Amino acid sequence: MVETGHHQHQHQPAPAVVGPPMFPSMALPTGPNWPPAEQLHQLQYCIHSNPSWHETVVLAFQHYIVMLGTTVLLANTLVSPMGGDAGDKARVIQTMLFMSGINTLLQTLIGTRLPTVMGVSFAYVLPVLSIIRDYNDGQFDSEKQRFRHTIRTVQGSLIISSFVNIILGYGQAWGNLIRIFSPIIVVPVVSLVSLGVFVRGFPLLANCVEIGLPMLILLIVSQQYLKHVHGISRISVILERYALLVCLAIIWAFAAILTVSGAYNNVSVATKQSCRTDRAFLISAAPWIRIPYPFQWGTPIFRAGHVFGMFGAAIVASAESTGVFFAASRLAGATAPPAHVFSRSVGLQGIGVLLEGIFGSITGNTASVENVGLLGLTRIGSRRVVQISTGFMIFFSIFGKFGAFFASIPLPIFGGIYCVLLGIVAAIGISFIQFANTNSMRNIYVLGVSLFLSLSIAQYFLSNTTRAGYGPVRTAGGWFNDILNTIFASAPLVATIMATILDNTLEPGHASKDRGLDWWKPFQHRDGDNRNAEFYGMPLRINGYLPTRFL
């Protein structure tokens, strides 16, 4: 038999290929998601809600104490090299407190309207040290004469350099810069406002670790852990809001006991200065009553080289305030400030520097990062609390003995406080990343490079600056050196430059959604979001009396 062509063969199906088991993609979300929140939901009081009056007064006093530490630290840094004695230091501290009160009140009323304390700025230290060097060659008959001549030159430089802020602000230049920001830029700018001043944290604490470290531990335990202990729920709210004052009083008393018992009798001079409670000599030197007044040190002296050198400090102070204002908006329960609000705040900051030059301060002003950290520590972002704190600043600047009593708190205690407050602000800066695509490699590149380089560059300039104020840039032009050394020693300003360039040149159009611009843009225009007027509108219908550029 032969098979014919009509015979049909049955084709068996091919066996299925067995491959590796299928797993869910690691790029897909598998856990819980928390959607971005424009406002923090765990605040007890926001920008326009207020605690009771007795609580407001105590909370305001806490803000005064927090800003006092930075004020005393800057006076210790500059007054002695200028030739001033303990009495001069006490009067300088009074002047700086008085001007902080005035500038804070102005900023909360007609500036950003955010609950931010306007304190002293360390950005002006290098230009002031440059002035001190020029007057340190034995050309004066006494140290008192050298101090007065130096501070009058600082006054003149502050008066002229204030117009940098005024022009940047009221000329709308600073607002135009903010308009090209994105959440990717805000992260390093805000975070480095805090991380860039890490020397005020543990390095300051370590100058007297036996009182600084207990302050840090006690503050963390009492404010965060004790409220979870069974049976003390009634005092948990008190500890959460006022732990800073309670802990400060305990550790200050402990430091006084160590001083009286003779624990620091046989130690180095530096240790005595940091640890003892009786080494400041401010109480004995401060007058009982003294009102700071214009030109109290004499007629200002204007020298071109010193004036130009102060220009860099004015720009740095504006960048520092910008980062602090962004952090304050989050911790006060407000939306991100619009661009025009930054313009008027920087312009008003310039007016504050002008007033400080007239009244005889030794530095310009900037928004205090420590006090914004206090908003997060207490979870109270009330504008009224900060406005009431200006009453304490002005009161204790006039009644010098009382102010000097609190100014004699050892600085390592403040170092322990700042370790917590500065950390809160750094974390608030990081929180802005939620409004952008955190899985974008492009965003990761911009963030990583700007964060690391900004901190690294600033640290290089700071570590290579001598005690006399000589920085890495040392050309024949002293004013040019001061400008560059001041600018690049500021981590927030370097972050502003780096992040703005990278974020606006690396595929800015294609990555607009990843950059978070869809969320960001409405807040940068006056009428872009209906909450802008609620948080940042002028009080008492002042809008009708001022040109638009000043609003």
Side-chain angles (χ1 to χ4, degrees):
M1 298 283 301
V2 179
E3 294 185 359
T4 65
H6 299 284
H7 184 74
Q8 299 293 325
H9 294 278
Q10 299 295 324
H11 297 281
Q12 298 296 326
V17 179
V18 179
M22 298 298 293
F23 292 101
S25 172
M26 297 298 290
L28 297 177
T30 58
N33 292 324
W34 287 271
E38 294 173 356
Q39 297 166 288
L40 296 175
H41 300 305
Q42 297 179 341
L43 298 175
Q44 296 176 3
Y45 293 93
C46 65
I47 185 170
H48 45 46
S49 60
N50 305 303
S52 61
W53 276 106
H54 69 276
E55 291 178 310
T56 298
V57 172
V58 178
L59 290 166
F61 183 71
Q62 277 192 143
H63 277 281
Y64 162 72
I65 289 294
V66 167
M67 63 84 58
L68 182 62
T70 308
T71 304
V72 175
L73 180 61
L74 188 125
N76 288 347
T77 303
L78 293 179
V79 173
S80 295
M82 293 170 69
D85 54 20
D88 296 321
K89 184 187 298 182
R91 286 186 287 273
V92 166
I93 292 174
Q94 285 181 272
T95 303
M96 290 192 293
L97 285 176
F98 184 81
M99 295 313 306
S100 291
I102 298 298
N103 290 329
T104 301
L105 192 59
L106 289 174
Q107 198 67 247
T108 55
L109 285 174
I110 58 175
T112 60
R113 304 274 291 149
L114 289 168
T116 50
V117 171
M118 301 302 293
V120 295
S121 173
F122 276 78
Y124 291 83
V125 168
L126 286 181
V128 172
L129 289 177
S130 178
I131 296 174
I132 293 172
R133 290 198 308 268
D134 288 353
Y135 292 147
N136 203 23
D137 55 0
Q139 56 185 299
F140 300 101
D141 296 332
S142 65
E143 287 292 274
K144 177 70 70 174
Q145 185 182 8
R146 182 169 73 89
F147 170 78
R148 287 189 170 270
H149 202 82
T150 303
I151 199 168
R152 287 165 57 199
T153 306
V154 172
Q155 281 186 261
S157 301
L158 286 175
I159 289 173
I160 301 300
S161 66
S162 67
F163 288 96
V164 173
N165 301 103
I166 294 173
I167 294 171
L168 286 175
Y170 293 128
Q172 304 297 316
W174 203 259
N176 292 333
L177 171 65
I178 300 300
R179 284 192 176 91
I180 63 174
F181 272 27
S182 72
I184 297 298
I185 300 174
V186 175
V187 172
V189 171
V190 176
S191 297
L192 290 176
V193 164
S194 169
L195 298 177
V197 292
F198 63 86
V199 293
R200 299 184 209 168
F202 200 86
L204 182 61
L205 175 157
N207 288 336
C208 189
V209 71
E210 58 267 32
I211 61 175
L213 190 58
M215 180 68 206
L216 173 60
I217 296 174
L218 187 61
L219 180 59
I220 294 175
V221 172
S222 62
Q223 212 262 347
Q224 296 294 329
Y225 288 95
L226 284 185
K227 62 184 179 183
H228 300 294
V229 177
H230 180 70
I232 62 170
S233 57
R234 293 183 178 181
I235 66 172
S236 62
V237 176
I238 297 176
L239 287 174
E240 191 170 42
R241 295 184 184 179
Y242 313 118
L244 189 148
L245 286 180
V246 175
C247 297
L248 186 144
I250 294 173
I251 301 301
W252 192 11
F254 174 63
I257 292 173
L258 291 178
T259 300
V260 173
S261 64
Y264 301 117
N265 289 347
N266 300 313
V267 296
S268 65
V269 175
T271 302
K272 290 181 180 180
Q273 292 287 351
S274 298
C275 299
R276 294 183 67 95
T277 58
D278 59 355
R279 296 294 292 180
F281 304 113
L282 294 176
I283 299 177
S284 59
W288 278 102
I289 300 176
R290 181 178 182 273
I291 302 176
Y293 56 90
F295 309 117
Q296 57 182 313
W297 309 108
T299 305
I301 298 174
F302 302 93
R303 293 184 61 176
H306 296 146
V307 168
F308 286 120
M310 200 87 64
F311 284 178
I315 299 173
V316 168
S318 300
E320 292 174 347
S321 293
T322 298
V324 174
F325 290 147
F326 275 122
S329 67
R330 290 281 289 164
L331 291 170
T335 54
H340 72 277
V341 171
F342 279 104
S343 285
R344 77 188 187 201
S345 68
V346 170
L348 189 61
Q349 185 174 336
I351 292 177
V353 176
L354 176 63
L355 292 174
E356 285 170 324
I358 292 174
F359 275 80
S361 179
I362 59 173
T363 181
N365 68 87
T366 190
S368 170
V369 60
E370 296 90 351
N371 288 87
V372 170
L374 185 59
L375 301 181
L377 184 71
T378 60
R379 301 185 185 182
I380 296 176
S382 170
R383 181 192 295 130
R384 178 181 293 176
V385 169
V386 172
Q387 290 175 333
I388 296 300
S389 73
T390 64
F392 287 105
M393 299 175 202
I394 295 174
F395 176 85
F396 287 116
S397 68
I398 294 175
F399 296 92
K401 293 289 186 184
F402 300 102
F405 173 72
F406 294 107
S408 63
I409 300 173
L411 289 175
I413 295 180
F414 287 106
I417 295 173
Y418 294 160
C419 284
V420 176
L421 301 186
L422 296 176
I424 292 174
V425 176
I428 284 295
I430 296 172
S431 73
F432 277 93
I433 192 64
Q434 66 183 304
F435 305 114
N437 183 4
T438 57
N439 292 314
S440 166
M441 287 304 300
R442 180 255 185 208
N443 289 349
I444 291 173
Y445 179 88
V446 174
L447 283 173
V449 172
S450 57
L451 278 169
F452 181 82
L453 264 184
S454 301
L455 194 59
S456 183
I457 291 173
Q459 180 58 28
Y460 167 77
F461 274 79
L462 290 173
S463 61
N464 286 277
T465 299
T466 66
R467 294 180 64 88
Y470 290 104
V473 180
R474 301 184 185 182
T475 66
W479 62 271
F480 181 76
N481 299 341
D482 290 341
I483 290 177
L484 290 187
N485 287 324
T486 301
I487 286 177
F488 289 104
S490 169
L493 182 55
V494 178
T496 302
I497 298 170
M498 290 292 304
T500 301
I501 293 174
L502 290 174
D503 191 52
N504 286 279
T505 56
L506 293 178
E507 300 179 339
H510 294 89
S512 61
K513 187 173 182 180
D514 287 346
R515 296 167 65 198
L517 294 182
D518 294 344
W519 170 82
W520 180 258
K521 285 299 183 183
F523 302 118
Q524 295 312 299
H525 300 281
R526 189 182 303 271
D527 301 319
D529 189 280
N530 56 13
R531 291 167 293 180
N532 287 349
E534 175 187 356
F535 296 131
Y536 304 106
M538 289 290 196
L540 304 176
R541 297 182 180 180
I542 197 172
N543 300 29
Y545 303 97
L546 291 177
T548 305
R549 70 172 56 219
F550 299 118
L551 301 177

